[in-house]
Amino acid sequence: MSNQQQTTAKMSVLDLAKRWLAEDKDPHTRSQIEALVAANKTDDLEKLLRTPVEFGTSGMRARMEAGYARINQLTVITASQGTAAYVERSVPDALTRGVVVGYDHRHGSRIFALSTARAFLDRGFKVYLYTAVGPTPLVPFAVKRLGAACGVMITASHNPKQDNGYKLYWENGAQIRPPLDEGVSQCIRENSVPVNWDTQGVESDPGVTDVTESMTKAYFDAAQGLVADRGLNAATSLRYVYTPMHGVGAPFAARVLEIFGLPPYIPVQEQLQPDPDFSTVAFPNPEEKGALDMAMAVADRDNAQLVLANDPDADRFAVAERQADGSWLMFTGDQLGTIFAAAVLEAYRHNGIADSKIAMANSTASSRMLGVLARKEGIHCAETLTGFKWIANELESLSKQGYHAAFGYEEAIGYMVSDKVLDKDGVTALGFFVQLASRLHAQQQRISDYLETQYARYGYFESANNYFISPDPRKTGEIFSRIRYGDGSNNDGISRTSFVRTSAQGGATEVLRYPLTIGGFPVSYIRDLTIGVEIPDVDKICAASSGSGDHQLVIAKGQYEPTLPVSSSSQMITFETRNGSRLTLRTSGTEPKLKYYLEASNSENDRALAARDLETMTRAIADELVQASKSGL
């Protein structure tokens, strides 16, 4: 804990409010704290002032209102002061290489971006500034293209309208990973008093270069490398509707289609212009049920075959396709990931790239179908932790080893189809996808037919991802503890492992009592990234040791350690079962949710069996593992 944190912890909430009012020069947020002080609403003041907003690997994201615990001009200024200090000390030639700053259309985004630029200017940085709203992928693109020291994008992606965020990219153009976030956080604490609130004249400052036109042009020039046949694209009769979900994507989607030589989209007019209030949707997330209803109605009216959507900052991409019976098929994130992977592989082969030099990656919460594809086709596939910070950095590392960083994805509709942007990019994904759909349309095929081809070749995979609302961290911790260690009674009716982990000196430290079955299916693999174990062939180990002693396995220090990074600050356990299913349970870093990612598969493409297994496992998650009713979830 820093000295400031210790001081803050000892201060009364009214003293914290006085400090805030002494530092805050924004009349809007000042008035919020003044009103709460006048009304003596100390509980509300505690929530807003006591615990500073956390800066993690995804930067900051929070509700926009007054207080150290929220996103506002003061916390953006101090975050920028700390980030600038850390980048200067960590990145060679940081001041001359500069920082890229961009922003979306949300309330507050522009002033937050100018405040960010001002803090970096005051530190002596050159600033490359996007002076108009734009999609998130343009910032990591510019960081990589310009060789900048870092990049900042002001956005809260598909969060509710009340939120905003601060996303940090490192010098390689990818989001930061640990321990960089810890270093930035420390520097923010060391620079926690806002110094300069003046945003007037930032855009005309000699240290600022407006890159809006130059980097946007360079971005679309780079996208031309994804074009297969402009003539064939231009000849398509495929019709498609597009919605940017009230975000910034519309002109960029239009331009990428033009780059590919594809016909213009049919717009959802009510959602076309940037609207920070997201007026026609409950949540501005294409994944949410009902979010594409308006777009589907336009497609029905105009006899279009596809509905295409970006989220508000255009880094994610979603698709629905009209089927032969007139119904709409909404593709899951994993289904689109498989479709993109197969199409990207075709493109690289067409360009003469050897299979052994092609690399792809997805997160551990995403489908294993990509891994099956990779093994069958002889390409390299990497599994990473959840989040594009891990996927993009892994692909960048593989490119340094001589691989082509061909494709990366996560099940939350994020796709990277070009190594020119080391992050998910919904704009180039849209162009690449419509090109594929147009080619298939010319062959009298749908995208769903293309997906069926992949199932026939690699087997059937079906997922059921969901979450439990778990607002009490203590209760969430107890649930994971029970999964990991049992309830302590040894008679909870669940067959469990008896694996002993020893210390470096050889003494027993804990007994791991994971369930041996889930839904009646034998557990074959366990990976626990909270405590750091990865054990294959669990059922075989237990069967071989049956009757041979008190414990089935003794794990010494250095044995059965995961290949993926371990973090004791978050919960994440993965199980695989002998029926071909995989389950990952984890806590959310930003929401009071216990999330699960479940996938059933069948190598013989037996969908009925996979569906039954999925249903059985889904019930078992709630009843056996989480024990939702007992836990009050």
Side-chain angles (χ1 to χ4, degrees):
M1 184 180 287
S2 68
N3 291 334
Q4 182 202 342
Q5 286 177 309
Q6 292 174 344
T7 302
T8 299
K10 295 177 181 177
M11 291 175 70
S12 74
V13 72
L14 292 178
D15 285 338
L16 276 174
K18 288 179 183 178
R19 190 176 82 182
W20 174 271
L21 293 172
E23 295 173 348
D24 187 10
K25 295 184 179 181
D26 180 347
H28 177 66
T29 47
R30 279 184 60 87
S31 66
Q32 291 177 22
I33 298 299
E34 287 171 340
L36 292 173
V37 171
N40 198 33
K41 293 188 175 180
T42 55
D43 288 347
D44 291 340
L45 288 168
E46 282 283 352
K47 293 175 184 176
L48 295 176
L49 295 169
R50 180 65 66 187
T51 305
V53 60
E54 182 180 354
F55 194 102
T57 53
S58 297
M60 301 187 302
R61 193 176 294 186
R63 190 181 180 94
M64 286 181 287
E65 54 186 337
Y68 300 114
R70 301 291 189 262
I71 291 282
N72 47 64
Q73 195 174 359
L74 189 153
T75 56
V76 167
I77 290 171
T78 56
S80 299
Q81 291 172 175
T83 301
Y86 185 72
V87 173
E88 182 184 4
R89 74 168 64 158
S90 304
V91 178
D93 305 315
L95 301 185
T96 54
R97 291 170 64 183
V99 57
V100 178
V101 179
Y103 60 98
D104 69 5
H105 69 303
R106 285 176 178 265
H107 294 295
S109 286
R110 177 173 167 78
I111 191 69
F112 294 163
L114 294 177
S115 296
T116 300
R118 170 59 68 198
F120 275 88
L121 285 169
D122 288 350
R123 194 83 192 184
F125 277 77
K126 182 175 181 59
V127 174
Y128 299 101
L129 181 66
Y130 286 100
T131 58
V133 298
T136 290
L138 284 180
V139 168
F141 172 82
V143 171
K144 189 172 182 181
R145 174 59 67 94
L146 295 169
C150 68
V152 175
M153 177 68 188
I154 305 297
T155 181
S157 192
H158 56 273
N159 272 40
K161 66 181 180 180
Q162 298 89 352
D163 294 356
N164 215 324
Y166 187 104
K167 183 178 285 190
L168 177 61
Y169 295 89
W170 205 239
E171 60 176 323
N172 63 350
Q175 292 180 61
I176 62 170
R177 292 182 299 180
L180 294 176
D181 58 321
E182 297 168 7
V184 174
S185 293
Q186 179 59 36
C187 279
I188 291 173
R189 290 191 289 270
E190 294 168 359
N191 293 270
S192 61
V193 177
V195 174
N196 192 344
W197 290 74
D198 184 13
T199 58
Q200 297 296 316
V202 165
E203 291 172 293
S204 58
D205 190 285
V208 172
T209 300
D210 182 350
V211 295
T212 309
E213 290 188 15
S214 62
M215 284 297 101
T216 302
K217 180 181 183 300
Y219 170 84
F220 284 109
D221 287 347
Q224 293 187 38
L226 299 170
V227 179
D229 188 329
R230 292 189 90 253
L232 180 63
N233 290 344
T236 187
S237 60
L238 182 69
R239 294 169 62 80
Y240 32 86
V241 166
Y242 170 74
T243 174
M245 300 292 293
H246 295 296
V248 301
F252 299 91
R255 189 162 172 182
V256 81
L257 291 173
E258 182 181 339
I259 289 292
F260 276 77
L262 291 157
Y265 56 71
I266 301 166
V268 181
Q269 290 290 354
E270 298 89 340
Q271 299 175 339
L272 195 63
Q273 298 304 317
D275 172 10
D277 293 317
F278 307 108
S279 304
T280 69
V281 294
F283 298 98
N285 182 353
E287 290 183 290
E288 291 287 339
K289 186 176 181 180
L292 298 186
D293 286 354
M294 187 173 287
M296 290 177 184
V298 172
D300 287 335
R301 182 196 69 196
D302 286 42
N303 194 32
Q305 290 79 44
L306 290 176
V307 165
L308 314 169
N310 287 131
D311 69 339
D313 68 327
D315 64 348
R316 289 175 170 84
F317 175 64
V319 183
E321 182 184 52
R322 187 196 302 278
Q323 301 304 291
D325 62 1
S327 65
W328 285 97
L329 171 62
M330 183 76 186
F331 293 103
T332 69
D334 281 320
Q335 287 173 332
L336 286 176
T338 297
I339 291 164
F340 274 119
V344 167
L345 178 58
E346 289 179 9
Y348 271 77
R349 284 173 168 172
H350 179 77
N351 291 330
I353 306 300
D355 291 347
S356 61
K357 291 297 182 181
I358 298 172
M360 299 186 182
N362 68 351
S363 70
T364 187
S366 302
S367 176
R368 291 165 299 156
M369 192 168 179
L370 182 62
V372 174
L373 179 153
R375 287 191 294 274
K376 189 151 191 172
E377 304 301 338
I379 68 174
H380 184 86
C381 181
E383 181 187 45
T384 74
L385 292 180
T386 304
F388 246 89
K389 56 183 171 285
W390 299 104
I391 295 169
N393 277 291
E394 178 65 23
L395 286 171
E396 195 243 357
S397 175
L398 288 169
S399 70
K400 290 180 178 178
Q401 299 172 38
Y403 289 98
H404 292 267
F407 176 63
Y409 93 93
E410 60 182 356
E411 49 76 37
I413 59 172
Y415 309 100
M416 173 185 149
V417 297
S418 166
D419 62 359
K420 303 298 187 292
V421 176
L422 286 177
D423 199 7
K424 51 188 176 290
D425 180 354
V427 178
T428 53
L430 184 148
F432 188 85
F433 184 90
V434 177
Q435 175 175 257
L436 171 65
S438 297
R439 188 192 85 197
L440 294 171
H441 186 69
Q443 299 167 358
Q444 306 299 310
Q445 291 187 332
R446 291 181 171 83
I447 289 290
S448 56
D449 297 322
Y450 189 76
L451 179 60
E452 290 296 329
T453 301
Q454 313 316 316
Y455 286 147
R457 183 165 178 79
Y458 306 117
Y460 183 68
F461 292 76
E462 184 174 350
S463 60
N465 303 332
N466 214 325
Y467 58 85
F468 299 94
I469 297 294
S470 185
D472 184 351
R474 178 188 56 80
K475 183 174 289 187
T476 304
E478 289 174 355
I479 291 169
F480 276 93
S481 180
R482 184 174 63 243
I483 294 170
R484 189 177 289 122
Y485 302 115
D487 64 1
S489 67
N490 294 334
N491 61 358
D492 59 1
I494 298 174
S495 298
R496 295 182 176 275
T497 64
S498 181
F499 297 161
V500 177
R501 286 220 304 173
T502 63
S503 66
Q505 291 74 32
T509 57
E510 61 183 356
V511 180
L512 305 178
R513 295 187 54 77
Y514 299 102
L516 280 170
T517 62
I518 301 174
F521 302 114
V523 171
S524 57
Y525 168 89
I526 298 170
R527 181 179 61 203
D528 191 331
L529 294 179
T530 303
I531 66 170
V533 294
E534 184 170 16
I535 307 170
D537 295 321
V538 171
D539 53 339
K540 295 180 180 179
I541 290 172
C542 293
S545 63
S546 177
S548 61
D550 292 336
H551 301 296
Q552 299 150 336
L553 182 67
V554 177
I555 304 172
K557 186 175 177 61
Q559 292 182 321
Y560 296 99
E561 293 183 341
T563 55
L564 292 178
V566 174
S567 174
S568 60
S569 64
S570 60
Q571 299 282 358
M572 189 171 188
I573 305 176
T574 297
F575 297 96
E576 291 181 6
T577 54
R578 284 294 170 196
N579 64 324
S581 296
R582 186 190 214 191
L583 166 66
T584 294
L585 299 124
R586 73 177 183 94
T587 47
S588 170
T590 57
E591 301 169 293
K593 294 178 178 179
L594 193 167
K595 295 186 174 183
Y596 69 83
Y597 306 85
L598 174 63
E599 183 177 60
S601 65
N602 187 279
S603 60
E604 302 301 321
N605 202 8
D606 188 332
R607 302 180 184 202
L609 181 56
R612 287 197 299 272
D613 288 355
L614 197 72
E615 183 179 355
T616 300
M617 293 280 287
T618 300
R619 287 197 303 268
I621 293 168
D623 297 341
E624 300 173 16
L625 296 178
V626 175
Q627 298 181 17
S629 297
K630 179 180 178 181
S631 302
L633 304 187

